């Protein structure tokens, strides 16, 4: 085996996408053929698309769950669903949307776009990327397998004990949830680690800390948030599972456990989580709204600071989910104040976007409509949240449909709207074809109208006192009309989503060809062909400003980025590592080939959790051994990756 | 001239291990938070009649600190190209860790309570148990590193895996110090 | 345009919103709404809620207008859209001024909200006068046990699902649960408080005028969370004392109800208590004065003969999964039991 020299001098070269150098790069980077390649690919673009497709499948599943619930609630005293069925549906609707759609869809965009934004050829850990996707898929299937045995999680996504303990919930419903979530947490965590290290290390030279595309700031900030928040919920679920299966006494009152401890641990995770599922989506808007206003984002620096501040402060407000549990006055005051102060960084972002529109030249495309609509929906969701920060008002509004209205404005308005807008912007980059603009208008208006018809009156439903999580309600409480409106709105929204899917299907086949830069955007991803080749960039670009492709035309005296001339790095699968602050070249790193190790470890890990679920301890033990052994194989030093000393093996 | 491949600590793996430490550190922070939550809620009465003693825990602390020192010695050795230091340092670290494992098992078997006796029992065993799992994985890492060292994979420029394994072990040691303080010292503080 | 007319126009949206809201907020149309309040605690909370609501609507209106107007006024119109429009420079940085002014105004509004919130929190924290009456609420899946406490132990008694409180004085509530987490909530009278296992939470309510107010469990507690409601009846003080005295009396059953009483004790007594009879079960609500209540099954059904019969003969049809089993009670048995219950006023 030939080993890799410790150092190399790398020269700058000029190369376009059709030069001889790139056919060598193509050979080096493209996915291996056949089943091996399909299962073992480490191409972040393929993995990103898989994430997106899987996330949209879960969006549809969660949406169907919602529509069935809305049929049940359209009128008082209906018997379409039994209480148990309704409770299972509302639980899975929440679990699916919050965990299997909202964060993974953002991951999917970042998995595809990060290297292209940063000017590199892959994420820091390509095999880990593949592993992260497989575990996400398997965890989602694990959770949905509960439908096959008729034991679906039924205590809400928040899953409070004692109702979640064995005494009140003897079946495996909650075990599916607990173990499935721990498994999913592994995927989320390694994905976050991947983004963080990529952002720190793999950039185009010159892409210093103040020149990074703002979307990468959002994703990286939330990645740090994930690393610090997910352990809280994984721990909580582990403790719950131990209480249920082994009679420990973390939460069970009979054994002097503390049910409120669950709430603390859960919300210490779940509050940061809500920022994790919206900050990257806000990043989409910060990234792409400027393109359609033909000017750089107003206040890049303060928006970055606001993003980081929101995530940090997000760790200090969790108690506002527990205002009605009988907490001391001082705690209530502090968390109420903190929950109001956290509005300020969001206001920074809102005014940055408004200013960008006002001082720019808006080009009204479907994407712009989604981003502009998003700003209004963001504010509605934001103010209803702000209202619940006031303890006395919250103690009327909490656990009513007011909060349901709030969460749907923030989740649909601040996650789904930017996601749809982002699809219109980057689908051309991913597939080479533009989404149809006319179908897009129908998509936007149906979704916009559906959202507002369904959820704007729902604020009233909540103020009229309708509690959450009830499978039916009596006549005569003033809730009938608004519930019918919400049901109608939900179906309009669903049709809007369907129109998007139709647009994707139609445009995939017959959409207008996009070319590298259909929107005349300013950042590096718009320099590659659409879709990008397996190696992304023919040469590693060097940047000298925030908006490399607009430099010359903005007349701001900015530097000269170099897009067609740079390091070729074709002595194998190679990327350039740079320093975190100033992005100076630091090393040439070798990237791994396609591999089945991630799939094997993912299967073994899922088998481990399946064994725990059905209490086949031998299976769990066996899978644990296989997991560890496969990890050792995966991490075994390889000469081609430059991991082995030169002298010994020549 | 640019370094190529896995040179010193310029690898992605090094940064990756730092993220592992961030997230697993957070896990222990939440675990210890749970312990303190119970302690605040229940006061003195939540502790077992016989407080956890130092007979095993102090030797274990010394063992872990010593094994970290041996590992530091090993890493310093490989950075200077001295293979003997690397191999011996790893071997000693592993040996000390094995003694730790034995002592921990004896301490657990001698406990009058189980994880399902009381909330204290549940927390005691989940904290020390999760720490033990992390340590066991660290032990496997050290054994694998020893094998790779004997296979001559490392030299003065290519030793990233050693650093990565070592920093994980230092993390496991640091967590033990926090666990030791929480379980063995705080019950005795006023 | 005169000053008053301008002011009227600028207030038009608020007036319109108010006009839309007013009939809808009528207590009769939406008995559980909390924008209308019937006691001092609820007043303070409702005032704060209204203020935050109006502020929120204003903010939404302003920002939406800014977005729509901003997008329309400088938008690129069709012929130019086909041409590659050159990006505009950042200019003199006037854009950032938007952020400073916008965030500055928002912070001022936030501070005002925080001050009002703090004031309201302090005011509702404890009752204005020491409560003379303490009522214990014990949550069960899926009904409310209500225990009236008194210094005189002979005046302590249990009832279920319907509370009576005197008008014009604060009442203290001590809430706890026998099983899972519930939440005690009567929106027109005050905010909610959770019932957490292993702890007793304390709150207070005060009603300003007589009436019947509906509350409901507000923390998901299992299958029949949807059907765990309660009524809070505010009586004038004399009426309240009379009610309490009546509730203390044991059941007096007429001779013709003797068979019914026996049947009741045998079929229902394992779970239900009727003081004055041999029925002493504690798993379900105390039924000693069940006919004095306006509803049954935790405010799920009106307390009328037809509903009562339906409930007794098949509780699982009305509240599937609840802990009252559907027993095989024959028609004649049902009639006897009903006859007995009818005397429990």
């Amino acid at each position: 085996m030939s080993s890799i020299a410790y150092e190399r001098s790398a020269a700058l070269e000029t190369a376009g996408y059709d030069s001889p150098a790139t056919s060598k790069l193509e050979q080096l980077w493209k996915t291996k053929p056949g089943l091996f390649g399909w299962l073992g690919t480490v191409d972040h673009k393929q993995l990103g698309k898989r994430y997106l497709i899987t996330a949209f499948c879960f969006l549809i599943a969660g949406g169907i769950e919602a529509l069935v619930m809305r049929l049940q609630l359209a009128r008082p005293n209906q018997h379409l669903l039994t209480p148990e069925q309704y409770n299972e549906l509302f639980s899975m609707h929440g679990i699916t949307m919050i965990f299997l759609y909202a964060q993974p869809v953002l991951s999917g965009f970042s998995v595809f776009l990060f290297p292209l934004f940063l000017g590199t050829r892959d994420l820091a850990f390509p095999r880990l990327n593949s592993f992260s996707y497989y575990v996400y898929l398997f965890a989602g299937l694990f959770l949905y397998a509960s439908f096959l045995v008729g034991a679906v999680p039924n205590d809400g996504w928040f899953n409070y004990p004692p109702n979640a303990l064995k005494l009140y919930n003897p079946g495996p419903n909650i075990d599916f949830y607990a173990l499935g979530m721990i498994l999913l947490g592994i995927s989320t965590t390694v994905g976050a680690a991947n983004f963080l290290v990529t952002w720190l290390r793999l950039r185009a030279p010159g892409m210093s800390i103040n020149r990074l595309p703002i979307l990468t700031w959002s994703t990286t900030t939330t990645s740090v948030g994930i690393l610090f928040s997910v352990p809280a919920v994984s721990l909580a679920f582990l403790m719950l599972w131990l209480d249920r299966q082994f009679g420990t006494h973390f939460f069970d009152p009979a054994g002097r456990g503390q049910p409120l401890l669950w709430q603390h641990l859960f919300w210490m995770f779940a509050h940061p989580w809500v920022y994790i599922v919206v900050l990257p989506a806000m990043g989409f808007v910060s990234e792409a709204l400027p393109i359609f206003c033909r000017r750089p984002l107003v206040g890049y620096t303060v928006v970055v600071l606001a993003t980081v501040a929101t995530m940090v402060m997000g760790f200090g407000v969790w108690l506002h989910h527990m205002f009605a549990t009988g907490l001391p006055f001082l705690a209530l005051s502090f968390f109420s104040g903190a929950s109001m102060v956290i509005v300020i960084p969001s206001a920074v972002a809102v005014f940055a976007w408004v200013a960008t529109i006002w001082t720019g030249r808006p080009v009204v495309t479907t994407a712009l409509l989604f981003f502009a609509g998003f700003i209004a929906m963001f504010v509605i969701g934001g103010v209803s949240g702000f209202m619940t920060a006031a303890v006395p008002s919250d103690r009327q509004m909490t656990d009513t449909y007011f909060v349901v209205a709030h969460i749907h404005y923030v989740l649909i308005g601040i996650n789904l709207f930017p996601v749809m807008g982002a699809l219109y912007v980057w689908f051309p980059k991913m597939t080479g074809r533009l989404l149809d603009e006319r179908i897009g208008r129908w998509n936007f208006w149906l979704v916009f109208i559906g959202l507002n018809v369904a959820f704007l009156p729902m604020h009233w439903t909540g103020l009229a006192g309708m509690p959450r999580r009830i499978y039916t309600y009596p006549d005569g409480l003033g809730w009938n009309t608004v519930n019918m409106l919400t049901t109608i709105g939900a179906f309009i929204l669903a049709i809007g989503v369907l129109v998007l899917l139709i647009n994707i299907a139609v445009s995939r086949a017959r959409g207008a060809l996009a070319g590298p830069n259909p929107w005349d955007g300013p950042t590096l991803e718009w320099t590659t062909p659409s879709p990008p080749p397996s190696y992304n960039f023919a040469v590693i670009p060097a940047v000298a400003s925030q908006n490399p492709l607009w430099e010359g035309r903005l007349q701001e005296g900015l530097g000269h980025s170099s897009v067609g001339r740079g390091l070729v790095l074709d002595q194998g699968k190679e990327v350039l590592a740079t320093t975190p602050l100033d992005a100076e070249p630091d090393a040439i790193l070798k990237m791994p080939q396609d591999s089945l190790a991630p799939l094997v470890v993912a299967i073994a890990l899922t088998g481990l959790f399946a064994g725990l679920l059905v209490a086949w301890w031998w299976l769990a033990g066996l899978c644990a051994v296989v997991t560890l052994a496969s990890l050792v194989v995966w991490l075994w030093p390889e000469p081609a990756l430059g991991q082995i000393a030169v002298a010994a093996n020549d | 001239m640019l370094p190529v491949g896995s040179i010193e600590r310029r690898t992605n793996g090094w940064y990756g291990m730092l993220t592992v430490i961030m997230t697993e550190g957070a896990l222990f922070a939440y675990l210890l938070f749970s312990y303190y939550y119970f302690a605040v809620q229940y006061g003195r009465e939540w502790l077992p009649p016989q407080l956890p003693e130092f007979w095993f825990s102090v030797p274990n602390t010394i063992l872990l600190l010593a094994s970290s020192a041996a590992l530091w010695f090993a890493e310093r050795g490989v950075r200077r190209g001295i293979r003997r230091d690397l191999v011996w340092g790893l071997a000693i670290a592993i040996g000390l860790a094995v003694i730790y494992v034995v002592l921990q098992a004896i301490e657990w078997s001698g406990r009058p309570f189980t994880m399902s006796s009381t909330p204290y029992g549940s927390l005691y065993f989940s904290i020390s148990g999760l720490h033990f799992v992390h340590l066991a994985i660290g032990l496997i890492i050290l054994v694998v590193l020893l094998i790779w060292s004997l296979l001559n994979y490392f030299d003065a420029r290519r030793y990233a895996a050693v650093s990565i394994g070592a920093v994980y072990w230092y993390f496991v040691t640091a967590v033990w110090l926090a666990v030791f303080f929480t379980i063995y010292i705080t019950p005795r503080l006023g | 345009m005169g000053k008053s007319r301008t002011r009227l126009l600028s207030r038009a949206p608020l007036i319109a919103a108010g006009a839309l809201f007013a009939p809808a907020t009528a207590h009769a149309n939406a008995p559980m709404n909390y924008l209308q309040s019937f006691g001092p605690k609820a007043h303070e909370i409702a005032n704060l809620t209204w203020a935050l609501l109006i502020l929120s609507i204003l903010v939404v209106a302003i920002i939406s207008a800014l977005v729509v107007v901003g997008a329309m006024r400088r938008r690129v119109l069709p012929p130019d859209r086909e041409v590659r429009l050159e990006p505009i420079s950042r200019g003199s940085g006037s854009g950032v001024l938007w952020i400073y002014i916008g965030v500055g105004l928002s912070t001022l509004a936030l501070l005002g909200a925080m001050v009002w919130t703090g004031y309201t929190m302090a005011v509702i924290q404890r009752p204005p006068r020491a409560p003379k009456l303490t009522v214990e609420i014990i949550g069960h899946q899926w009904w409310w046990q209500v225990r009236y406490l008194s210094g005189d132990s002979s005046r302590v008694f249990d009832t279920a699902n319907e509370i009576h409180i005197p008008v014009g004085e604060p009442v203290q509530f001590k809430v706890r649960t026998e099983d899972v987490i519930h939440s005690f909530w009567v929106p027109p009278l005050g905010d909610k408080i959770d019932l957490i296992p292993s702890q007793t939470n304390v709150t207070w309510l005060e009603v300003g005028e007589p009436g019947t107010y509906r509350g409901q469990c507000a923390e998901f507690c299992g299958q029949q969370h949807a059907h765990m409601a309660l009524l809070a009846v505010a009586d004038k003080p004399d009426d309240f004392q009379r009610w309490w005295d009546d509730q203390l009396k044991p059941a007096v059953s007429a001779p013709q109800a003797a068979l019914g009483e026996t049947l009741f004790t045998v079929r229902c007594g394992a779970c239900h208590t009727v003081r004055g009879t041999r029925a002493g079960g504690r798993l379900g609500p105390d039924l000693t004065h069940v006919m004095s209540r306006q509803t049954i099954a935790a405010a799920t059904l009106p307390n009328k003969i037809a509903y009562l019969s339906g409930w007794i003969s098949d509780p699982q049809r009305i509240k599937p999964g609840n802990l009252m089993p559907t027993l095989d009670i024959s028609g004649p048995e049902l009639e006897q039991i009903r006859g007995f219950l009818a005397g429990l006023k």
Side-chain angles (χ1 to χ4, degrees), chain B residues 123-162:
Chain B
L123 271 160
Y124 173 84
F125 281 107
S126 55
I127 294 174
S128 55
L130 272 169
H131 174 263
F132 184 81
V133 169
H134 282 78
L135 186 135
I137 290 175
L139 194 46
I140 296 173
I141 290 175
L142 292 183
V143 168
V144 171
L145 282 177
L146 182 58
I147 296 173
W148 292 346
S149 304
L150 293 170
L151 287 172
N152 283 320
Y153 283 171
F154 305 124
D155 69 7
R157 297 210 69 189
R158 288 221 168 113
Y159 57 83
V162 177

Side-chain angles (χ1 to χ4, degrees), chain A residues 4-9 124-125 189 193 196-197 201 224 227-229 231-232 235 238-239 246-250 255-258 260-261 264-265 268 315 576 585-591 628 632 635-637 641-646 648, chain B residues 1-7 9-17 19-20 22-24 26-28 30-34 37-38 41-42 45 115-119 122-123 126 130 137 140 144 147-148 151-158 161:
Chain A
I4 311 289
Y6 292 139
E7 283 179 342
R8 197 168 93 215
S9 64
F125 304 110
T189 303
L196 179 57
V197 177
R201 296 283 294 157
V224 174
L227 291 173
F228 286 123
S229 65
L235 178 65
L238 175 66
M239 289 171 159
F246 292 96
T248 51
H249 303 295
F250 296 104
R256 307 217 67 208
Q258 292 277 311
L260 278 181
L261 177 62
H264 282 291
L265 286 173
M268 282 159 89
F315 278 88
L576 185 69
D586 191 45
I588 297 174
L589 298 179
K590 297 289 198 180
M591 290 281 123
L628 284 168
V632 174
L635 294 170
W636 200 270
L641 293 177
Q643 291 174 330
I644 298 188
V646 167
Chain B
M1 294 283 276
L2 283 172
V4 182
S6 180
I7 297 290
R9 292 181 180 176
R10 297 183 196 218
T11 60
N12 287 334
W14 168 254
Y15 289 84
M17 180 51 77
T19 67
V20 168
M22 282 163 74
T23 200
E24 298 302 298
L27 175 67
F28 282 97
Y30 292 114
L31 254 173
L32 296 181
F33 165 84
S34 305
Y37 184 86
F38 271 98
Q41 293 292 323
Y42 288 136
E45 50 143 309
M115 72 172 173
S116 50
S117 333
T118 57
S122 304
L123 271 160
S126 55
L130 272 169
I137 290 175
I140 296 173
V144 171
I147 296 173
W148 292 346
L151 287 172
N152 283 320
Y153 283 171
F154 305 124
D155 69 7
R157 297 210 69 189
R158 288 221 168 113

Side-chain angles (χ1 to χ4, degrees), chain C residues 329-341:
Chain C
I329 301 185
S330 70
E333 282 184 315
L334 183 59
E335 226 190 287
Q336 290 294 328
I337 292 175
R338 248 183 13 223
F340 165 69
L341 288 175

